[in-house]
Amino acid sequence: GTLSSSGRAEITNDTVGLTATNIRNQPGLFFQANNAISGGSGVTFGDGIRCCGGNVVRLQVVLPPGPQPATAQSTVSITSAGPPGTVQAGDEKCYQYWYRDPGPAGPCGTSFNLTNAVSIAWLP
């Protein structure tokens, strides 16, 4: 899967949207973390690589509609999806999408995978 972002990353006018494409038509989770793991190289996690870590915040669970490959889109305000104060002006956060990936088994046979990561710098 591939993750992309769009919109304005402004605390006072958050229009950021996250879109995961080329994924399975299975439940998935958009999440945010404080930094990239291993300088952005990530660590093996399921059938993919977890690139985001440190104070992970679950933003939204999504069940993508339609046939495979599917697309999942966030529909919540990123700045208000987590606990208050999670995103502040000047922060650079890491975002990723974690999704179920049942059979046929992936290379590690774990039944879940992740997209690439996206880094967003937040303005006032």
Side-chain angles (χ1 to χ4, degrees):
T2 302
L3 183 67
S4 61
S5 65
S6 61
R8 298 172 65 111
E10 297 175 352
I11 300 298
T12 57
N13 185 27
D14 171 14
T15 61
V16 170
L18 300 172
T19 303
T21 56
N22 200 29
I23 58 172
R24 305 278 287 199
N25 185 7
Q26 294 286 321
L29 170 71
F30 288 103
F31 69 94
Q32 164 189 286
N34 283 350
N35 55 283
I37 297 173
S38 297
S41 297
V43 295
T44 301
F45 187 67
D47 287 330
I49 297 175
R50 186 168 64 100
C51 300
C52 301
N55 289 330
V56 173
V57 174
R58 297 174 184 199
L59 299 175
Q60 184 178 20
V61 174
V62 177
L63 177 57
Q68 298 183 110
T71 298
Q73 294 183 309
S74 65
T75 59
V76 298
S77 165
I78 303 301
T79 56
S80 61
T86 302
V87 178
Q88 297 181 10
D91 286 350
E92 185 167 340
K93 299 289 186 175
C94 186
Y95 297 88
Q96 210 165 355
Y97 185 73
W98 175 12
Y99 59 99
R100 286 184 33 84
D101 193 6
C108 299
T110 61
S111 299
F112 66 92
N113 207 333
L114 299 109
T115 63
N116 60 295
V118 171
S119 179
I120 297 177
W122 289 90
L123 301 173

